[in-house]
Amino acid sequence: AVSAPQPVSVTRTPAPQAKAPEPQPLPPGVSNAEALRSLRERVLSCQKCGHLVAARKNVVFGVGNPDAQLMFVGEAPGADEDAQGEPFVGAAGQLLTKIIQAMGLKREDVYIANILKCRPDTPGQTSGNRKPTPEEMNACIAHLHEQIDLIRPKVLVALGATAVTGLLGTTTGITRLRGNWHTYRGLPLMPTYHPAYLLRNQTLATKRQVWEDMLKVMERLAMPISEKQRNYFL
Ligand code: URA
């Protein structure tokens, strides 16, 4: 799924913010991994959006460390993710993996999920993606809330305008939001450009912007940062 940054003046319709129940403490003895596994089972059989259920090959729940300190939130599965049942495995996903590695982490160290767990259908189209609608985001957001509340990462990163709109409900463009800390469900949230946007805008300046956002995330997580890392894309 592709998220280009919107001009700052453009007003988009924010996703209605579903009222989420307060996080419930896990019963004693239930690990995050077990709780996520049972949540995954439930989400894999979700039938809320008939048109998406009919079109999907797989439900793309999320992947990574159930105890991750860092969680990335994207928009929705694309064709590759739908085929494989795993988020961020296509071209944009490979770039996300490189970003994670540049931070000194592995994909398995972090948690990766999307606002939508099903691929937005594209009836009559043989290629390309479409953005999730506010109704689809509203129907699906409770699954993400449950994931966030189980994992309780120390930092969330929202990838691209649609993810930020889905989370914060704001009409402000990603260009203005990125690089600044926000709060989501009591957790620090850093918006940055979507890797698909980076693939289309391969300028040093844009790469550096995303990298500066990641440096802020690393600082927030008290991760070691080498001189070499500080200077990437300068
Ligand atoms: N783009 C997204 O936002 N999510 C994916 O999982 C893949 C591409």
Side-chain angles (χ1 to χ4, degrees), residues 45-126:
S45 58
C46 180
Q47 308 281 325
K48 274 193 210 165
C49 309
H51 60 299
L52 302 186
V53 174
R56 75 188 177 202
K57 294 195 178 85
N58 281 294
V59 175
V60 181
F61 175 69
V63 73
N65 181 354
D67 300 299
Q69 301 212 338
L70 176 57
M71 179 166 174
F72 290 89
V73 179
E75 175 176 321
D80 294 315
E81 290 76 21
D82 179 46
Q84 294 184 43
E86 182 170 330
F88 283 100
V89 291
Q94 284 161 28
L95 181 52
L96 176 62
T97 303
K98 277 197 200 167
I99 294 170
I100 292 166
Q101 289 167 347
M103 297 170 82
L105 298 169
K106 297 195 285 290
R107 244 176 104 92
E108 308 83 78
D109 295 327
V110 304
Y111 199 86
I112 307 172
N114 284 308
I115 303 263
L116 239 65
K117 307 307 190 215
C118 293
R119 180 172 193 233
D121 62 340
T122 51
Q125 270 176 243
T126 50

Side-chain angles (χ1 to χ4, degrees), residues 16-220:
Q17 293 290 289
K19 275 265 176 300
E22 284 301 304
Q24 296 297 314
L26 290 177
V30 177
S31 70
N32 273 7
E34 284 171 76
L36 262 184
R37 256 197 304 276
S38 75
L39 174 62
R40 184 169 188 276
E41 287 307 308
R42 266 199 288 130
V43 174
L44 291 197
S45 58
C46 180
Q47 308 281 325
K48 274 193 210 165
C49 309
H51 60 299
L52 302 186
V53 174
R56 75 188 177 202
K57 294 195 178 85
N58 281 294
V59 175
V60 181
F61 175 69
V63 73
N65 181 354
D67 300 299
Q69 301 212 338
L70 176 57
M71 179 166 174
F72 290 89
V73 179
E75 175 176 321
D80 294 315
E81 290 76 21
D82 179 46
Q84 294 184 43
E86 182 170 330
F88 283 100
V89 291
Q94 284 161 28
L95 181 52
L96 176 62
T97 303
K98 277 197 200 167
I99 294 170
I100 292 166
Q101 289 167 347
M103 297 170 82
L105 298 169
K106 297 195 285 290
R107 244 176 104 92
E108 308 83 78
D109 295 327
V110 304
Y111 199 86
I112 307 172
N114 284 308
I115 303 263
L116 239 65
K117 307 307 190 215
C118 293
R119 180 172 193 233
D121 62 340
T122 51
Q125 270 176 243
T126 50
S127 67
N129 297 310
R130 76 162 167 84
K131 280 185 189 300
T133 65
E135 291 73 25
E136 288 165 345
M137 292 202 272
N138 200 25
C140 209
I141 195 78
H143 298 321
L144 183 69
H145 287 160
E146 287 197 69
Q147 286 173 301
I148 292 173
D149 291 342
L150 282 177
I151 297 165
R152 291 314 286 174
K154 292 215 164 69
V155 169
L156 289 165
V157 172
L159 298 167
T162 306
V164 179
T165 304
L167 294 174
L168 299 178
T170 176
T171 55
T172 309
I174 185 73
T175 308
R176 203 179 270 174
L177 291 173
R178 62 144 288 275
N180 295 304
W181 288 107
H182 301 259
T183 304
Y184 186 68
R185 294 179 80 69
L187 300 171
L189 170 80
M190 175 58 71
T192 195
Y193 291 132
H194 194 286
Y197 171 71
L198 273 182
L199 287 176
R200 285 180 280 114
N201 291 269
Q202 305 220 14
T203 63
L204 207 56
T206 314
K207 289 180 189 176
R208 177 68 194 178
Q209 282 183 312
V210 171
W211 185 243
E212 283 181 2
D213 300 344
M214 295 307 104
L215 286 172
K216 287 184 183 168
V217 166
M218 291 167 75
E219 280 166 7
R220 188 91 186 209

